[in-house]
């Protein structure tokens, strides 16, 4: 009976039904209160919910009961990653690899650590283990009858999206290099990106990733594997084009007129990530974020996706600062329109979300507020981005404290728009 219960715990976690998983572990612990495995499972559940202190308590209990429990040690290393304790985390993972060298959780987490440090060759190699951990371990590959592309020249190649829209946009920065290497390139992306991509890279065939069309090709590759072929060293990032996506100039002109932006200093803003696993860590409330612009002679334009009308209305009532919204663009569904809206701005200021990726791909001057521990895309201790040359980074100096980053960004805004 216990193995069945543990199976359901794992299933609930995969489905992100953490409340059910926690309840099931609680049922098990009624009969096994000193089980290291159950304390470790609770630690993992709380970590995924963002309750890091609760996670730490249960992981420590698990390791007190059984100091060698691999799952608990992995959870401890993962927790240390959340707090930016990368060296300690790496030591745990690398020690565990001695006896478990193909453990996908360890390899995938090490990929994140190595890539954060700019150790690209090791990082991208371990990044291939993403297919063996949640959520991609349940992914169904759209192509199974063709070989994986490893950079062979003058071949017909199909590339296909695998993760979120932000990842789509980021990996599109490598498409032109893939085209140079191949004979014919077909790329399947989120349907919302197709028109933008077709305008920007006219020599490449772009399709909506809904059903991959049966077509003649020699190889295929998920887009997340492109960096393994084209980004082995930091020097390779010098090939990144500043603006590899192009907004529709006619739509930019129409939006500028619609919003009355002619002759104004325009800042596009976005302040939260809706579906991120680390939403609370990455996001700010509009009141916290909007204080950055107080007293500046600028026009703020909403680039935030999702239903934020109530939040904007409350912000405007409390602060007296107006935020312009574009009625002709759905910021979530109409990414071609959002690109034009971004292009109509002089500057974009945002937390880390899809807006940042799109602005970076457009080559728009963009300032991003990053948490103390962020995605490996942003590396460590840098105020620039190797992926997007137009982006400037403002980082938290300690876990959970936005004060320094916000003040620093505001001071630079005052200098720029005074």
């Amino acid at each position: 009976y216990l193995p069945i219960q543990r199976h359901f715990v794992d299933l609930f976690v995969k489905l992100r039904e953490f409340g059910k998983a926690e309840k099931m572990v609680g049922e098990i612990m009624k009969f096994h209160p000193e089980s290291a495995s159950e304390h470790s499972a609770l630690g993992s559940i709380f970590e995924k919910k963002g309750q890091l202190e609760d996670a730490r308590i249960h992981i420590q209990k698990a390791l007190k009961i059984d100091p060698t429990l691999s799952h608990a040690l992995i959870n401890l290393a993962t927790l240390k990653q959340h707090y930016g304790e990368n060296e300690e985390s790496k030591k745990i993972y690398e020690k565990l690899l001695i006896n478990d060298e193909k453990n996908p959780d360890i390899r995938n987490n090490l990929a994140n650590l190595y890539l954060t440090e700019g150790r690209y060759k090791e990082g991208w190699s371990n990044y291939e283990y993403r297919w063996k951990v949640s959520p991609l371990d349940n992914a169904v590959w759209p192509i199974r009858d063709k070989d994986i592309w490893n950079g062979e020249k003058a071949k017909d190649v199909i590339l296909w999206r695998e993760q979120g829209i932000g990842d789509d946009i980021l990996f599109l920065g490598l498409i032109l290099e893939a085209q140079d290497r191949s004979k014919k390139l077909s790329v399947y992306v989120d349907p919302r990106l197709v028109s933008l991509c077709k305008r920007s890279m006219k020599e490449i065939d772009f399709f909506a990733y809904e059903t991959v069309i049966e077509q003649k090709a020699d190889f295929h590759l998920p887009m997340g594997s492109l960096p393994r072929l084209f980004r082995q060293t930091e020097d390779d990032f010098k090939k990144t084009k500043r603006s590899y996506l192009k907004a529709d100039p006619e739509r930019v002109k129409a939006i500028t007129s619609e919003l009355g932006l002619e002759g104004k200093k325009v800042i596009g803003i976005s302040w939260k990530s809706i579906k991120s696993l680390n939403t609370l860590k990455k996001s700010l409330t509009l009141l916290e974020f909007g204080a950055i612009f107080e007293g500046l002679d600028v026009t703020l334009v909403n680039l935030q996706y999702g239903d934020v009308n109530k939040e904007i209305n409350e912000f405007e009532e409390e602060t007296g600062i107006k935020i312009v919204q574009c009625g002709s663009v759905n910021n979530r569904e109409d990414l071609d329109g959002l690109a034009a809206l971004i292009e109509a701005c002089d500057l974009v200021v945002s937390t880390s979300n899809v807006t940042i990726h799109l602005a970076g791909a457009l080559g728009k001057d963009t300032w991003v507020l990053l948490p103390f521990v962020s995605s490996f895309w942003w590396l460590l201790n840098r105020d620039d981005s190797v992926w997007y040359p137009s982006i400037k980074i403002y980082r938290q100096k300690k876990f959970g404290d936005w004060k320094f980053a916000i003040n620093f960004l505001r001071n630079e805004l005052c200098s720029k728009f005074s």
Side-chain angles (χ1 to χ4, degrees):
Y1 186 61
L2 182 59
I4 295 174
Q5 287 177 306
R6 285 177 173 165
H7 168 76
F8 275 104
V9 171
D10 292 340
L11 178 62
F12 289 142
V13 169
K14 282 189 176 183
L15 295 172
R16 301 193 60 75
E17 295 183 8
F18 299 126
K20 291 181 180 180
E22 184 181 346
K23 184 177 180 180
M24 180 65 74
V25 175
E27 291 297 317
I28 297 172
M29 293 184 77
K30 288 179 182 178
F31 302 96
H32 305 278
E34 294 302 313
S35 168
S37 293
E38 269 50 70
H39 279 295
S40 179
L42 277 178
S44 180
I45 291 166
F46 286 130
E47 178 265 324
K48 288 177 171 61
K49 289 172 68 177
Q51 297 173 223
L52 301 187
E53 183 57 25
D54 291 327
R56 183 188 64 80
I57 290 170
H58 284 283
I59 292 167
Q60 287 181 342
K61 285 182 179 179
L63 290 171
K64 186 175 182 180
I65 297 166
D66 183 356
T68 65
L69 184 62
S70 176
H71 185 264
L73 287 166
I74 292 172
N75 286 340
L76 177 62
T78 303
L79 189 64
K80 287 183 177 294
Q81 282 181 261
H82 282 289
Y83 287 108
E85 299 171 5
N86 289 357
E87 287 302 317
E88 292 182 39
S89 183
K90 261 193 314 182
K91 286 178 183 177
I92 295 171
Y93 288 135
E94 290 172 347
K95 186 175 181 180
L96 287 169
L97 280 182
I98 295 172
N99 296 315
D100 196 6
E101 64 177 350
K102 292 187 178 180
N103 184 297
D105 290 305
I106 297 172
R107 288 290 185 182
N108 185 65
N109 288 347
L110 274 174
N112 282 269
L113 288 170
Y114 292 152
L115 291 170
T116 297
E117 295 176 341
R119 293 168 60 180
Y120 297 111
K121 188 173 182 180
E122 298 162 283
W124 296 128
S125 175
N126 282 285
Y127 191 61
E128 293 302 312
Y129 280 86
R130 69 193 182 279
W131 295 106
K132 297 183 181 295
V133 300
S134 181
L136 293 183
D137 56 339
N138 290 321
V140 177
W141 283 33
I143 298 174
R144 300 182 183 182
D145 61 344
K146 295 176 177 62
D147 291 333
I148 287 291
W149 187 45
N150 285 304
E152 291 87 348
K153 295 182 178 179
K155 301 294 182 180
D156 291 349
V157 179
I158 296 173
L159 302 177
W160 48 273
R161 76 181 304 259
E162 58 178 81
Q163 299 187 47
I165 191 76
D167 299 279
D168 268 18
I169 294 168
L170 184 122
F171 297 135
L172 283 168
L174 306 179
I175 294 296
L176 292 174
E177 292 166 60
Q179 180 195 25
D180 289 342
R181 183 91 51 101
S182 56
K183 179 182 177 183
K184 179 184 177 184
L185 192 64
S186 300
V187 185
Y188 288 81
V189 295
D190 187 290
R192 294 170 290 176
L193 287 170
V194 172
S195 59
L196 188 56
C197 289
K198 285 184 174 181
R199 178 187 312 108
S200 307
M201 304 179 218
K202 296 179 180 178
E203 301 303 315
I204 299 172
D205 291 329
F206 286 96
F207 302 94
Y209 182 81
E210 290 169 331
T211 302
V212 174
I213 301 169
E214 284 294 325
Q215 58 181 286
K216 181 178 178 293
D218 301 302
F219 299 100
H220 78 108
L221 191 71
M223 287 173 65
S225 292
L226 283 172
R228 178 172 56 83
L229 302 180
F230 298 104
R231 293 295 181 267
Q232 289 284 302
T233 68
E234 184 157 336
D235 280 346
D236 289 338
F237 285 90
K238 294 176 181 177
K239 302 170 187 174
T240 301
K241 190 175 180 181
R242 181 181 171 94
S243 53
Y244 53 86
L245 294 183
K246 306 291 184 185
D248 180 349
E250 291 303 315
R251 199 158 181 195
V252 176
K253 184 178 178 181
I255 286 173
T256 301
S257 176
E258 175 189 346
L259 302 183
L261 302 179
E262 297 92 339
K264 295 181 179 178
K265 302 170 185 175
V266 182
I267 300 178
I269 62 169
S270 179
W271 56 94
K272 60 184 175 182
S273 176
I274 302 296
K275 287 191 174 181
S276 168
L277 295 177
N278 300 301
T279 298
L280 295 178
K281 187 174 70 172
K282 290 170 62 174
S283 301
L284 290 164
T285 67
L286 181 53
L287 277 173
E288 292 171 320
F289 183 79
I292 298 170
F293 309 99
E294 188 175 352
L296 294 179
D297 181 21
V298 296
T299 297
L300 301 183
V301 171
N302 177 40
L303 304 178
Q304 179 64 53
Y305 47 89
D307 184 5
V308 293
N309 288 336
K310 181 180 178 183
E311 196 172 357
I312 288 176
N313 290 337
E314 290 174 349
F315 170 79
E316 290 180 341
E317 287 178 11
E318 184 156 339
T319 66
I321 300 173
K322 176 72 174 174
I323 298 176
V324 177
Q325 298 202 72
C326 184
S328 65
V329 176
N330 180 319
N331 290 351
R332 184 179 184 85
E333 300 302 325
D334 181 9
L335 292 185
D336 208 1
L338 180 59
L341 189 56
I342 289 170
E343 195 59 54
C345 299
D346 297 301
L347 176 71
V348 170
V349 179
S350 176
T351 55
S352 179
N353 57 25
V354 170
T355 302
I356 285 296
H357 287 285
L358 186 54
L362 290 164
K364 177 61 58 177
D365 286 338
T366 302
W367 295 358
V368 58
L369 285 161
L370 287 185
F372 183 64
V373 178
S374 54
S375 167
F376 64 77
W377 309 125
W378 308 115
L379 300 173
L380 292 171
N381 304 318
R382 298 179 63 140
D383 64 3
D384 66 334
S385 167
V386 295
W387 294 92
Y388 303 115
S390 65
I391 283 182
K392 185 172 182 179
I393 296 170
Y394 297 82
R395 299 178 184 267
Q396 286 183 347
K397 291 300 182 183
K398 61 181 180 179
F399 187 86
D401 185 359
W402 284 109
K403 185 176 180 180
F404 175 85
I406 285 175
N407 287 343
F408 188 21
L409 190 151
R410 174 168 169 80
N411 288 339
E412 298 213 336
L413 274 177
C414 290
S415 298
K416 184 177 179 69
F417 292 101
S418 58

